[in-house]
Amino acid sequence: MTDAVIQLNNLNKSFNHSSGSNHVLKDINLKVNSGEMVAIVGQSGSGKSTLLSILGLLELADKGSYELCNQNTRELSEFQLSQLRNQHIGWVFQNFNLIADMTVVENLTAPLRFNKKVKPSEYSQLIHDVLSKVDLTDKKDFFPDELSGGQQQRVAIARALICKPDILLCDEPTGNLDSENSQKIMDLLCELNKEGRTVLIITHDERVALCCQRAYKMSDGILCAVHNQEFKRVV
């Protein structure tokens, strides 16, 4: 068994359209070990969102291999991919993706209903635990539009944690937040990483990348490792 929870080898992805083919990911190689916190930095159109979709098993690559938690994803059915995703991956989105007409508790309950390993009698304690972790127990009966942006993102992180995933995939988690709330979210993600979770962050913000143990730059579908001490100079 390897320590790698994410292993990409020569991954390629293209999209075909009426005017031709767009080669979005070009021979991507990436290894993320259990317990690491890694950033992938790139501007809009660089390919980082497509890469995240593949890492989260929402898209499939055209060529190359992707092993998630030592399982070759190319060998799995759609049902098996769904099971693997639900078991190992928690998502944090830039736009929070909370359901507007549900309270915080209802938003956190929704993913639990898809987890057959959790009994309904356990929901209340799990929700209390994750809300305590993000310091929002007093907001459990609030609706998303009654919360600040930073609070909504903390609810989104609580939702990502509710099924106890090994890996957090974060898509621009500070993209819609001011600097103060951005720092609070990064502090929270760093704390979750210290507790043992693997965290992978897609971002355009080099300050976010500097919080991580390792960073990569993505440009025109090519992924290159970056040393953090050189980050501000090369990005």
Side-chain angles (χ1 to χ4, degrees):
M1 294 282 285
T2 174
D3 288 331
V5 292
I6 291 173
Q7 179 86 53
L8 307 180
N9 292 305
N10 299 318
L11 203 76
N12 284 265
K13 178 69 176 179
S14 296
F15 292 102
N16 297 317
H17 44 78
S18 58
S19 59
S21 178
N22 183 16
H23 196 175
V24 178
L25 300 179
K26 303 169 184 175
D27 293 322
I28 302 294
N29 291 285
L30 175 67
K31 179 181 178 182
V32 179
N33 291 321
S34 177
E36 281 195 298
M37 188 167 179
V38 176
I40 296 176
V41 181
Q43 298 305 312
S44 178
S46 63
K48 65 185 191 300
S49 294
T50 299
L51 177 58
L52 194 67
S53 292
I54 290 173
L55 293 175
L57 304 178
L58 301 177
E59 294 265 2
L60 295 177
D62 300 326
K63 296 179 181 178
S65 66
Y66 172 25
E67 290 188 7
L68 175 63
C69 298
N70 297 300
Q71 294 196 57
N72 187 341
T73 59
R74 276 193 174 275
E75 298 174 349
L76 303 179
S77 67
E78 286 190 19
F79 176 73
Q80 290 171 320
L81 289 172
S82 177
Q83 284 188 313
L84 189 64
R85 179 171 58 246
N86 292 339
Q87 180 180 355
H88 292 290
I89 292 174
W91 281 90
V92 180
F93 299 95
Q94 177 179 356
N95 295 322
F96 320 134
N97 284 11
L98 300 175
I99 301 171
D101 60 355
M102 287 186 175
T103 65
V104 168
V105 166
E106 290 168 338
N107 268 280
L108 296 180
T109 302
L112 290 174
R113 294 200 178 104
F114 295 95
N115 190 328
K116 295 180 179 179
K117 295 182 179 179
V118 181
K119 300 175 182 177
S121 60
E122 299 173 324
Y123 289 2
S124 179
Q125 187 61 51
L126 284 170
I127 289 169
H128 179 270
D129 290 346
V130 294
L131 285 179
S132 294
K133 190 172 289 294
V134 300
D135 195 24
L136 284 176
T137 53
D138 60 330
K139 304 295 185 183
K140 64 186 181 66
D141 295 319
F142 282 52
F143 289 91
D145 65 1
E146 297 175 312
L147 303 174
S148 69
Q151 290 170 336
Q152 289 187 62
Q153 190 61 294
R154 281 189 280 154
V155 173
I157 291 173
R159 182 185 55 191
L161 295 174
I162 196 75
C163 292
K164 300 182 179 180
D166 309 305
I167 303 164
L168 288 181
L169 297 181
C170 305
D171 186 4
E172 297 279 6
T174 63
N176 283 337
L177 304 177
D178 60 29
S179 58
E180 180 181 355
N181 279 303
S182 294
Q183 188 59 56
K184 288 180 179 178
I185 293 301
M186 289 309 302
D187 289 345
L188 177 56
L189 291 174
C190 288
E191 184 61 33
L192 293 169
N193 175 247
K194 288 177 183 177
E195 293 174 1
R197 283 184 177 82
T198 305
V199 180
L200 190 145
I201 302 175
I202 296 289
T203 183
H204 67 276
D205 189 344
E206 65 182 54
R207 293 169 299 179
V208 170
L210 288 168
C211 295
C212 299
Q213 296 151 7
R214 290 195 292 126
Y216 291 82
K217 178 186 177 184
M218 173 155 273
S219 179
D220 296 324
I222 297 172
L223 189 69
C224 298
V226 176
H227 295 293
N228 267 0
Q229 62 267 30
E230 302 175 1
F231 202 84
K232 290 184 178 180
R233 178 171 60 81
V234 300
V235 172

